[in-house]
Each structure stands twice: as structure tokens, then as C-alpha cells.
């Protein structure tokens, strides 16, 4: 997720006008985060089997209402960033559940990375029902935000392209690449529900053209190669999604955020 670039963009965009009313989304997000903050290894995370949680996740997954009901413009960027940030936080609360009990923060960085990977894989399996709803929205939200972030970036004067902003942009590009890598790797995991993998892949495919515009050509090529390698053995219902990613990442134009 584009955390750093969101921070510098948010600080610069002061007009808050919303194409959609985000109140319901933000309220649902706050309640889910409250419930998640109470989770322990013994009690576990909020689950879809709880009707209240299911209703919250249904709101947080409603792309039609919160992403597609009206177009977002640059003046709406801060609101969209807020929605995308909350969406990402919900996904991460499930993906990184119980991380602190499974990783040594003072240990070897390579070992810590492996420990984190194990936690993410375990949680992806445990919380498939919840992530199946939450992750596709997060992918689509980022795709909605990319053109607005690009428009904002290109509106800046050269002296406003500070090192902090450029570092934030680089982190955003890395986050997007890692997100797509994660989707492709999980789509190739037969131990995950096919419906979960299919919905993630479909959302990633829909977002691919937008994501390609912010990625350097080297990153696009890596994603394209991974998607191609997954095609021969992929279930038939995955073919269109993988082909959409391959096609988008084959674009060699480098404009906007790609140039930085």
C-alpha cells in the first residue's frame, strides 16, 4: 500500500470534497478496527460467522457504492486516500494477526522476513472468508487513487519534489509491486479456496492497467513474467485475470509517476 506517498499527498491536499459519502465506510472501518484491537491468540480475529462482523465487512467491501457510484476528481483525493488507508488497515489487521508473538524484532532481518512470511501465509489460510471480501476492494481502491496521485504529482513545481516525496513515491511503487506479487503467488496456491484466489485475481487484473502506470518498466516486466509462469497450470477461470495482468504489464510507455 502507498502509505508514504499518501502521507505527503494528504499534507498537500486541503480541499475535502467527496464524490461519495465516506461516512458509512469510515464508521464501519473504525468499528472493525476496534474489534480487531481486542483480538488475542485465544479469542482470534472478528469472523464473518458473526452477523455484526459480516455486516461491517460487507460495507468495507462495497466497491459499487464507495468506488464506482461517481467519479473521483483531484479535489476528492484526501477522501479517497482515507478510504484506501482504512481498507488497507483492515486487510493488514488480518494478514498480520499475532505477528508480535511470532517474530523477533531484534533478530536477523532475513530471519524476521521469513517469520513474517509464515505468519502472512498462515493468516491468509485462516481468514480466507474475511480476506476474500476485503482484499479485492483494497486492490480496486489503489487503482482508483493512482491517476489522482499522478495528477497531483505532475502539478508540483520542481522544487516541491522533495526527497521525502520522492522516497514516498518509491515506497508506493514497491508496495504496489509487492502487492501484485502476493496476489499472483497466492493465486497459485491450491490450498487456498478457489473463490478467494479468483476474486483477488479478478480485482488485480482490473487494477493492473492503473498500477502499470506508476510502476517502472523493470517492475512491470517482473510481474508480467510471474503472471506468464502461472498461466500454464492455472485453473481455466483464472486465465482471463492472468492475461489481463500480462497485457497491462506489457505496456512499455513510461509516463507520469513511472518516470520518477
Amino acid at each position: 500500500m502507498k502509505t508514504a506517498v499518501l502521507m505527503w499527498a494528504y499534507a498537500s491536499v486541503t480541499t475535502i470534497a467527496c464524490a461519495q459519502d465516506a461516512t458509512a465506510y469510515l464508521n464501519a472501518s473504525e468499528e472493525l478496527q476496534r474489534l480487531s484491537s481486542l483480538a488475542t491468540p485465544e479469542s482470534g480475529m472478528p469472523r464473518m460467522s458473526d452477523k455484526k462482523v459480516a455486516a461491517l465487512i460487507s460495507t468495507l467491501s462495497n466497491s459499487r457504492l464507495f468506488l464506482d457510484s461517481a467519479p473521483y476528481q483531484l479535489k476528492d483525493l484526501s477522501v479517497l486516500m482515507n478510504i484506501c488507508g482504512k481498507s488497507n488497515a483492515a486487510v493488514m489487521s488480518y494478514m498480520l494477526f499475532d505477528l508480535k508473538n511470532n517474530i523477533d524484532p531484534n533478530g536477523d532481518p532475513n530471519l524476521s522476513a521469513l517469520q513474517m512470511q509464515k505468519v502472512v501465509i498462515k493468516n491468509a489460510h485462516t481468514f480466507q472468508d474475511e480476506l476474500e471480501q476485503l482484499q479485492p476492494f483494497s486492490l480496486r481502491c489503489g487503482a482508483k487513487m493512482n491517476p489522482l496521485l499522478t495528477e497531483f504529482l505532475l502539478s508540483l513545481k520542481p522544487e516541491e519534489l522533495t526527497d521525502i516525496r520522492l522516497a514516498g513515491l518509491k515506497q508506493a511503487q514497491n508496495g504496489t509491486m509487492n502487492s501484485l506479487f502476493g496476489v499472483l503467488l497466492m493465486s497459485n496456491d491450491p490450498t487456498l479456496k478457489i473463490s478467494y484466489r479468483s476474486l483477488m485475481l479478478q480485482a488485480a487484473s482490473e487494477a493492473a492497467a492503473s498500477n502499470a502506470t506508476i510502476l517502472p518498466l523493470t517492475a512491470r516486466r517482473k510481474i508480467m513474467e510471474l503472471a506468464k509462469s502461472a498461466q500454464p497450470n492455472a485453473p481455466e477461470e483464472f486465465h482471463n485475470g492472468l492475461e489481463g495482468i500480462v497485457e497491462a504489464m506489457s505496456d512499455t510507455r513510461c509516463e507520469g509517476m513511472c518516470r520518477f
Side-chain angles (χ1 to χ4, degrees), residues 94-156:
Y94 283 95
M95 282 293 197
L96 300 180
F97 172 64
D98 202 29
L99 178 64
K100 66 180 180 180
N101 291 322
N102 290 279
I103 190 171
D104 180 4
N106 300 314
D108 176 75
N110 292 327
L111 177 59
S112 296
L114 289 175
Q115 291 171 331
M116 179 180 290
Q117 185 180 37
K118 289 181 180 180
V119 169
V120 169
I121 293 172
K122 177 184 176 182
N123 286 334
H125 283 80
T126 302
F127 304 120
Q128 290 181 71
D129 291 343
E130 293 73 27
L131 291 167
E132 181 178 297
Q133 305 300 317
L134 294 168
Q135 274 187 281
F137 182 98
S138 187
L139 290 164
R140 292 187 175 101
C141 200
K144 282 282 183 181
M145 195 164 50
N146 287 335
L148 300 183
L149 287 172
T150 299
E151 184 179 353
F152 172 72
L153 180 70
L154 296 179
S155 73
L156 296 175

Side-chain angles (χ1 to χ4, degrees), residues 65-118:
L65 179 60
F66 295 108
L67 298 180
D68 302 329
S69 61
Y72 281 95
Q73 301 174 21
L74 184 58
K75 60 184 174 61
D76 307 309
L77 178 56
S78 58
V79 175
L80 184 57
M81 286 193 299
N82 204 4
I83 291 174
C84 292
K86 297 295 186 183
S87 173
N88 185 61
V91 171
M92 289 298 101
S93 67
Y94 283 95
M95 282 293 197
L96 300 180
F97 172 64
D98 202 29
L99 178 64
K100 66 180 180 180
N101 291 322
N102 290 279
I103 190 171
D104 180 4
N106 300 314
D108 176 75
N110 292 327
L111 177 59
S112 296
L114 289 175
Q115 291 171 331
M116 179 180 290
Q117 185 180 37
K118 289 181 180 180

